[in-house]
Amino acid sequence: MNRRITILCDNTVGPVSGTLGEHGFAALVEWEGDALLFDTGMGETLLRNAQRLGRNLAAVFRVVISHGHYDHAGGLWPLLRTCGSKEVLAHPDIFAPRYRVKDTGAPLSIGIPFDEAFLRGQGAHFDFGTRFREIGPGLYLTGEVPRTTAFETGDTGLFCDGAGCRSDPVRDDQSLVIRTERGLVLLLGCCHAGVVNTARWAVECTGESLVHTIIGGTHLGFCGREQLDETVKSLRELGVHKLVGSHCTGFAAAARLMHEFPGRFHPSAVGYTLEV
């Protein structure tokens, strides 16, 4: 079964005129008359970009939220308001308080800008889950990803409180797994759980031996040299054929991946389309 992944929200734009960029991520997955939306961006560009790219989000009835940050779930309310009720698949902790503390010590809220009751009133029908689960033909959500690598330490600048006393491990982070004839395709939001942790978990849960493609935000833009070195090594061991870096991958990490995986690493942007 062929599936098409189209980036609707990203930090940068591609060659399609009239599309806009924002600090956020969203991708549309389509197959044989069905589709699901993976994340919704900040909410400033999703609907406009979908229209410019010829995608009818009113006909998409399921939305996956990868984790509870504003740049992935902020577009949920504009989507509901304009396109009608949706089934929303997510981790139950997506509404937990989330903060980044500035250098000045001032807290910056980075959680979902709407509460659960409000979104339910706007037509969101939440389907919460924490475990690996099948959500469609050859489509899976990772659920909570076990943190098993020693080098994927996460973003130390994230907190559960405005005072910056309790680190936020972003346990609700999950990714979409697509089973194909060529191997697994992983669609990532921010991948706070770690790219390697996520890939290994997908292999373990599906029984597949090959991760063919990884596309989306890798959060490598927030990691140190040691983590990037170990990530490159592990991706080679996994035999990843194609890498498409988006959103939080970062320029330096993208340049390194392009050097390490010549012809196999591709930067994405709004409008980028991948057939899997």
Side-chain angles (χ1 to χ4, degrees), residues 253-267:
R256 172 73 183 279
L257 292 171
M258 185 173 288
H259 173 74
E260 298 285 354
F261 300 95
R264 290 190 285 162
F265 177 82
H266 307 270

Side-chain angles (χ1 to χ4, degrees), residues 52-178:
R52 294 294 301 171
L53 294 168
R55 302 299 195 273
N56 179 18
L57 297 184
V60 178
F61 301 108
R62 287 190 299 167
V63 180
V64 171
I65 298 298
S66 66
H67 63 294
H69 281 160
Y70 74 99
D71 51 333
H72 295 262
L76 191 51
W77 178 44
L79 176 70
L80 295 168
R81 181 183 58 198
T82 304
C83 299
S85 297
K86 308 292 183 187
E87 180 185 17
V88 182
L89 292 81
H91 188 286
D93 290 348
I94 61 167
F95 293 103
R98 285 341 195 333
Y99 295 91
R100 185 177 288 280
V101 178
K102 299 180 181 180
D103 294 338
T104 60
L108 177 66
S109 176
I110 58 173
I112 298 179
F114 317 104
D115 62 31
E116 181 180 349
F118 173 79
L119 291 173
R120 285 187 182 275
Q122 298 298 307
H125 304 285
F126 287 100
D127 179 358
F128 293 122
T130 62
R131 298 184 178 182
F132 188 93
R133 55 175 168 159
E134 187 170 10
I135 62 170
L139 297 174
Y140 309 86
L141 284 182
T142 61
E144 287 187 25
V145 175
R147 316 296 173 91
T148 58
T149 60
F151 58 89
E152 291 180 306
T153 56
D155 189 340
T156 57
L158 303 179
F159 300 94
C160 300
D161 65 307
C165 296
R166 292 185 294 122
S167 295
D168 183 5
V170 198
R171 291 293 178 190
D172 54 318
D173 177 84
Q174 59 181 335
S175 299
L176 186 72
V177 181
I178 305 172

Side-chain angles (χ1 to χ4, degrees), residues 148-212:
T148 58
T149 60
F151 58 89
E152 291 180 306
T153 56
D155 189 340
T156 57
L158 303 179
F159 300 94
C160 300
D161 65 307
C165 296
R166 292 185 294 122
S167 295
D168 183 5
V170 198
R171 291 293 178 190
D172 54 318
D173 177 84
Q174 59 181 335
S175 299
L176 186 72
V177 181
I178 305 172
R179 192 194 296 268
T180 77
E181 294 180 355
R182 293 180 292 176
L184 299 178
V185 175
L186 308 184
L187 177 57
L188 318 175
C190 255
C191 210
H192 289 276
V195 178
V196 179
N197 281 332
T198 300
R200 290 177 178 173
W201 181 239
V203 167
E204 178 180 339
C205 291
T206 61
E208 292 281 352
S209 60
L210 177 64
V211 177
H212 185 275

